[in-house]
Amino acid sequence: MDRHNFLAVDIGNSWYKALASENGILSEYQIPNAIALFDAEFYEKPYDDDDIVFEDNLIVEVKSKAVVDRREIFYIGKGAAKQRDVSLTAFNNQKVDEDRTYLLLFGLAGYHAALQHPEETEITYSIDQLAVSLPTTQYKERKTRLKDKLAGTHTIIFHKVPGLSEPKELTVKITINDVIVGAEGACAYLGLTRDQETLGIKNEELVKESQKGIIIGDLGGDSVDFVGIKNNKPVASVEGEPFGINQFLDHIIQRVSKKEMYRFDSRAELEEKLAEGPSGWYVEPFAGVRKDISKYILPQLKSMAIKYLEHFDRVRSSSSEIKGAVRYIAVGGAAKLAQKQIQEAAAKWSDRGRPIELTFPENMEKLNVLGLMILAKMNQLKREKESNHSISNRG
């Protein structure tokens, strides 16, 4: 298994989180879901390449059948978030149909390949198994289309690469041999119950509880993905909703901009501040001026927490297959940011006679990508068994 290349990418509406395994060595990446058109006229040339971090300056051109317009050049990730014309995700966007999905995913894969081959400027890189996720609201209808668009060979050209001589370009040709798509939430269950190395069950208690029923609520940027687990398998009748933290982040950003004259570069910048906790909830609109922005943050997190529980309550009541569930689990980056507010809201629900006791597992923001890596390895084993069976039959 260690001789294969695996790439797992949680294509979130706030962040792209990736795990890459090459020859058994794991690499971890995270970039904001942000793109911006590159315009050479406005590119600020640095005094020295040592001032530039490659990860913060990813300028990509993607040649792929998956991308409609193959002529444009884009900033992606952290570099895009600093641009005036940064494009963030729109509400209820359809990931499979949008160029941004492929620009970010191939750009991230190309960046990983470039780090593995630092001495080369024309790199050929092969991925045995790519595992990606879709919200439950898009999974059933669109997973095959996503697989078809991702499989094959794609060319990523990085521009203005620090440390390279003019024209400072780096080309990565990536071949993706096989793709598997997982549903967000269901992947988190894999991450909770399976071991990364052996792929065997590591949480017998949770698997046993699944005999009666488990509901996982994966709260992300623009979707909350509910998955019902019964007898260690997802229940088809449970699905998510187009609801997430981004609308609340946008409201905070607008209020802080209007009232405090401070402009966040992106939702990612605000999310990083939220992750610091209340001690970090300050901005500096002018040098030496420090403004407390908790009065804009707390009402939004409380409002999101209440609506999240309302969705949870609706889901546990709506599916006959999962009625009687014995455990409710909160996962996702947004759930981690608002854990305190969700717990406070849940206590009020208990006072009103409708208790929702949620479990907040360790690494709840990474469970989907951990599950995707497990899915990639399991799919590779399945393919190898099928291949061996075919050879055995021919023999």
Side-chain angles (χ1 to χ4, degrees):
M1 188 64 69
D2 283 353
R3 68 183 187 278
H4 295 289
N5 285 352
F6 300 106
L7 180 63
V9 185
D10 179 3
I11 47 178
N13 283 311
S14 290
W15 294 85
Y16 273 43
K17 295 170 185 161
L19 275 177
S21 174
E22 180 172 333
N23 298 322
I25 299 173
L26 271 182
S27 303
E28 187 173 350
Y29 307 98
Q30 176 171 301
I31 63 171
N33 185 339
I35 62 172
L37 269 173
F38 173 75
D39 189 333
E41 184 180 348
F42 296 104
Y43 179 72
E44 294 184 13
K45 191 173 182 179
Y47 287 109
D48 197 314
D49 269 6
D50 291 341
D51 298 334
I52 299 294
V53 178
F54 187 25
E55 184 184 356
D56 297 347
N57 194 53
L58 296 177
I59 301 169
V60 302
E61 182 180 356
V62 173
K63 308 292 186 188
S64 164
K65 63 179 172 46
V67 177
V68 175
D69 192 340
R70 291 184 283 271
R71 295 167 299 177
E72 300 285 6
I73 302 173
F74 293 89
Y75 285 100
I76 63 168
K78 293 179 181 177
K82 297 173 184 172
Q83 308 303 312
R84 285 282 173 186
D85 63 342
V86 59
S87 166
L88 305 174
T89 57
F91 182 65
N92 199 22
N93 67 89
Q94 301 300 306
K95 295 177 180 177
V96 178
D97 298 326
E98 298 190 17
D99 277 0
R100 67 182 303 125
T101 301
Y102 307 98
L103 294 169
L104 282 155
L105 199 155
F106 294 146
L108 193 52
Y111 173 62
H112 167 69
L115 294 187
Q116 307 310 306
H117 303 274
E119 304 301 323
E120 302 176 33
T121 56
E122 293 191 7
I123 299 167
T124 300
Y125 193 80
S126 179
I127 297 171
D128 297 295
Q129 290 288 336
L130 169 65
V132 293
S133 58
L134 278 178
T136 51
T137 51
Q138 300 175 31
Y139 177 76
K140 291 177 188 172
E141 302 294 330
R142 295 170 183 268
K143 64 178 178 181
T144 302
R145 182 169 160 77
L146 181 60
K147 287 175 68 172
D148 291 343
K149 295 183 84 168
L150 290 173
T153 299
H154 318 276
T155 300
I156 303 100
I157 305 167
F158 291 97
H159 296 265
K160 308 293 183 188
V161 180
L164 296 186
S165 56
E166 291 292 344
K168 302 179 79 62
E169 290 182 5
L170 172 63
T171 301
V172 182
K173 187 170 285 187
I174 286 183
T175 298
I176 299 172
N177 295 315
D178 196 27
V179 181
I180 187 164
V181 181
E184 291 167 7
C187 293
Y189 179 74
L190 272 181
L192 277 168
T193 55
R194 296 270 178 176
D195 183 84
Q196 283 287 320
E197 297 299 325
T198 67
L199 307 183
I201 299 292
K202 69 174 183 180
N203 192 334
E204 295 281 358
E205 182 184 356
L206 195 58
V207 172
K208 189 175 180 181
E209 287 180 340
S210 78
Q211 292 174 3
K212 294 183 178 178
I214 295 169
I215 299 177
I216 296 173
D218 179 8
L219 185 56
D222 282 322
S223 68
V224 54
D225 292 282
F226 288 102
V227 174
I229 305 292
K230 196 74 179 281
N231 295 319
N232 207 27
K233 293 181 180 176
V235 173
S237 61
V238 178
E239 286 195 354
E241 293 283 342
F243 165 81
I245 194 173
N246 283 350
Q247 58 187 290
F248 299 93
L249 296 178
D250 289 344
H251 194 81
I252 296 169
I253 289 170
Q254 289 168 8
R255 294 282 292 169
V256 171
S257 175
K258 183 177 180 181
K259 298 291 184 180
E260 307 296 347
M261 306 296 286
Y262 179 86
R263 179 182 179 275
F264 283 94
D265 285 336
S266 67
R267 294 170 185 147
E269 183 191 352
L270 174 57
E271 283 188 272
E272 287 177 334
K273 195 169 281 296
L274 294 182
E276 294 176 21
S279 63
W281 293 355
Y282 292 87
V283 294
E284 289 189 24
F286 311 103
V289 177
R290 197 163 181 255
K291 295 282 189 176
D292 179 358
I293 59 170
S294 59
K295 60 186 174 186
Y296 309 110
I297 293 171
L298 286 172
Q300 294 303 311
L301 293 185
K302 288 178 180 177
S303 176
M304 182 183 72
I306 292 168
K307 292 183 185 301
Y308 177 54
L309 291 183
E310 288 173 351
H311 282 299
F312 234 118
D313 190 47
R314 177 190 55 74
V315 166
R316 70 174 174 175
S317 304
S318 63
S319 171
S320 59
E321 294 178 86
I322 208 69
K323 272 187 178 175
V326 294
R327 189 186 284 262
Y328 307 134
I329 302 175
V331 302
K336 184 173 184 177
L337 291 176
Q339 180 174 343
K340 183 182 177 191
Q341 288 73 28
I342 294 169
Q343 289 171 320
E344 290 173 351
K348 291 180 180 175
W349 276 66
S350 294
D351 294 342
R352 297 206 300 265
R354 293 186 67 83
I356 302 181
E357 295 182 12
L358 294 176
T359 299
F360 293 84
E362 187 179 357
N363 289 326
M364 69 179 87
E365 76 282 14
K366 297 180 180 177
L367 286 173
N368 272 316
V369 74
L370 290 171
L372 283 167
M373 179 56 77
I374 290 166
L375 204 59
K377 291 179 177 178
M378 292 174 81
N379 201 41
Q380 182 66 31
L381 282 177
K382 179 185 172 187
R383 283 173 62 90
E384 289 176 0
K385 283 181 182 176
E386 289 173 349
S387 176
N388 291 337
H389 182 67
S390 175
I391 292 170
S392 175
N393 284 342
R394 286 202 302 271

